């Protein structure tokens, strides 16, 4: 039970952090990582080049990691 609660809390935290991303990064991250679209489909849908999708996805993941890192660091220091 506590593992389920912890997983739900983590999902909520990740969603909150994703919402903080700039639109151009958030949309690519959601389509690629959550909706599991391939790079070509994302590029076609957004009307951008595949290379741009890859760059934005990389930057989105970096930004998300930066937003999440303090939360997980805090937990590891407590535990």
């Amino acid at each position: 039970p506590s593992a389920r609660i912890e997983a739900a809390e983590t999902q909520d935290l990740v969603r909150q952090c994703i919402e903080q991303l700039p639109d151009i990064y958030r949309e690519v991250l959601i389509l690629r990582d959550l909706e599991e679209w391939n790079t070509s489909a994302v590029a076609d849908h957004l009307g951008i080049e595949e290379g741009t999708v890859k760059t934005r996805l990389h930057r989105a993941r970096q930004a998300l990691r930066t937003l999440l890192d303090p939360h997980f660091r805090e937990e590891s220091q407590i535990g």
Side-chain angles (χ1 to χ4, degrees):
S2 65
R4 257 191 230 158
I5 292 169
E6 191 172 314
E9 289 173 353
T10 300
Q11 284 181 337
D12 288 342
L13 174 62
V14 171
R15 284 189 184 113
Q16 290 171 13
C17 289
I18 289 172
E19 288 301 315
Q20 294 177 45
L21 296 174
D23 291 344
I24 63 169
Y25 297 152
R26 185 175 57 247
E27 63 191 0
V28 169
L29 183 82
I30 289 171
L31 292 173
R32 281 286 286 124
D33 290 350
L34 302 180
E35 299 293 328
E36 299 181 353
W37 289 22
N38 65 39
T39 302
S40 177
V42 174
D44 288 344
H45 179 74
L46 298 176
I48 58 177
E49 299 292 324
E50 287 186 35
T52 303
V53 171
K54 292 175 184 180
T55 299
R56 288 182 185 178
L57 182 61
H58 177 73
R59 290 179 182 166
R61 288 173 177 163
Q62 284 181 316
L64 183 59
R65 187 175 303 118
T66 299
L67 291 169
L68 289 169
D69 189 49
H71 298 281
F72 288 105
R73 232 179 241 183
E74 186 178 291
E75 283 181 12
S76 68
Q77 291 175 357
I78 293 170

